Amino acid sequence: MEILNHSRTNFIAKIEGRIPLIKINFMEAEFDLLLVSLPKNSFNKLIAFNEPKIEKVDEAIATYILERIGGIEAKNNGQLWPLSGYRANLRLYESTVNSRKTFTMLLQTIKFWTKNHYIYGSKFGFLNGSAIAILTCKIILDFPANSVPFLLKKFFDIYSKWEWPKPVEIVELANKKYNEIRLVLDWFGTKEVYHRHLNQFHVDLYPWLLEHSKLQWVVLNPGFPTQNTTFNVNKSTAEILKLEFLEGKLII
């Protein structure tokens, strides 16, 4: 990527996490890039990157699951989540094809607001770029052909009184061809609760973290498999998010 060596690139850093990112400051603007690391040409064989299609991406991911990481029961699936994130981004891109300018303006406004109110950053238990994009996209799909101020008001109206952890998701017709994979790897509430209890908060060792380990926010990405982009939100940060969204509703 030419941007990495550009003279106006001020900062580059890899952000470790369940889904690794590359954070870039280019011409005083910050970007979070999804980091997908694969063997050379392994993905290009199935996807034409100049015009990627959901069907081809799904085929590539299914092939990766079944052939490269040893099947749907394999534990070594660290690169699967970035691939799923790539697929989710493509789905959001397709969903907003008729409202791209509105989506971009609304997304930038909300992202700026979250950063200005210190509720941006999944590693701190708050919202990340993926979650904000999904929340924004859903508002645009539910209220098409409207102005940014109208959509911004709807954003705060709806999410300030959302019954969390009821999932927010971009509904789509799943390809039945991959039902077996989805049944095992797609997001399910019971799976996340189990993971939060034992692996994320280690409630068996720290029982006082039980309240934090309970499911708080669910913002599902339209990936393959689906994922909860707000899995790091805990009881404390969920309360902060609620207060900030209520404040946002009053201001707009």
Side-chain angles (χ1 to χ4, degrees), residues 170-181:
I170 308 299
V171 178
E172 63 176 323
L173 295 176
N175 191 333
K176 294 182 179 180
K177 181 179 178 181
Y178 306 116
N179 272 356
E180 183 182 1
I181 294 175

Side-chain angles (χ1 to χ4, degrees), residues 16-146:
E16 297 290 352
R18 185 187 185 194
I19 301 178
L21 299 172
I22 297 178
K23 182 177 287 293
I24 296 179
N25 183 299
F26 178 68
M27 297 180 67
E28 305 305 324
E30 289 190 354
F31 301 89
D32 292 337
L33 303 181
L34 193 64
L35 178 60
V36 180
S37 176
L38 290 171
K40 186 177 181 180
N41 297 326
S42 63
F43 215 52
N44 301 31
K45 294 177 182 178
L46 289 174
I47 299 175
F49 279 99
N50 58 333
E51 192 177 353
K53 299 294 184 183
I54 287 286
E55 295 78 11
K56 285 294 184 182
V57 175
D58 286 349
E59 181 183 346
I61 292 175
T63 300
Y64 179 78
I65 292 171
L66 298 175
E67 295 182 3
R68 299 202 63 86
I69 64 174
I72 57 179
E73 299 294 344
K75 301 297 183 183
N76 182 28
N77 57 5
Q79 282 302 317
L80 176 58
W81 306 124
L83 290 176
S84 172
Y86 169 77
R87 194 268 191 193
N89 289 344
L90 181 58
R91 179 71 175 87
L92 295 180
Y93 183 84
E94 290 185 352
S95 299
T96 57
V97 66
N98 295 320
S99 53
R100 188 65 42 73
K101 185 176 180 180
T102 300
F103 174 73
T104 301
M105 291 179 64
L106 185 61
L107 178 63
Q108 290 176 341
T109 301
I110 294 168
K111 190 172 183 179
F112 177 81
W113 173 79
T114 60
K115 289 186 174 183
N116 197 41
H117 285 250
Y118 305 101
I119 55 172
Y120 183 84
S122 60
K123 66 180 180 180
F124 305 116
F126 293 113
L127 303 179
N128 57 25
S130 296
I132 295 169
I134 295 161
L135 293 171
T136 302
C137 182
K138 181 168 176 59
I139 293 296
I140 288 179
L141 294 178
D142 288 349
F143 302 95
N146 279 290

Side-chain angles (χ1 to χ4, degrees), residues 148-203:
V148 171
F150 174 88
L151 294 169
L152 189 60
K153 185 176 187 304
K154 284 296 181 183
F155 181 91
F156 287 110
D157 282 346
I158 289 174
Y159 295 128
S160 64
K161 56 186 178 184
W162 192 265
E163 296 178 358
W164 304 104
K166 175 185 174 182
V168 173
E169 58 185 322
I170 308 299
V171 178
E172 63 176 323
L173 295 176
N175 191 333
K176 294 182 179 180
K177 181 179 178 181
Y178 306 116
N179 272 356
E180 183 182 1
I181 294 175
R182 285 196 173 277
L183 283 172
V184 175
L185 295 178
D186 266 358
W187 180 90
F188 289 102
T190 51
K191 287 197 299 185
E192 177 158 332
V193 169
Y194 179 83
H195 171 76
R196 291 171 70 89
H197 272 61
L198 295 183
N199 301 324
Q200 191 171 359
F201 290 94
H202 302 283
V203 173

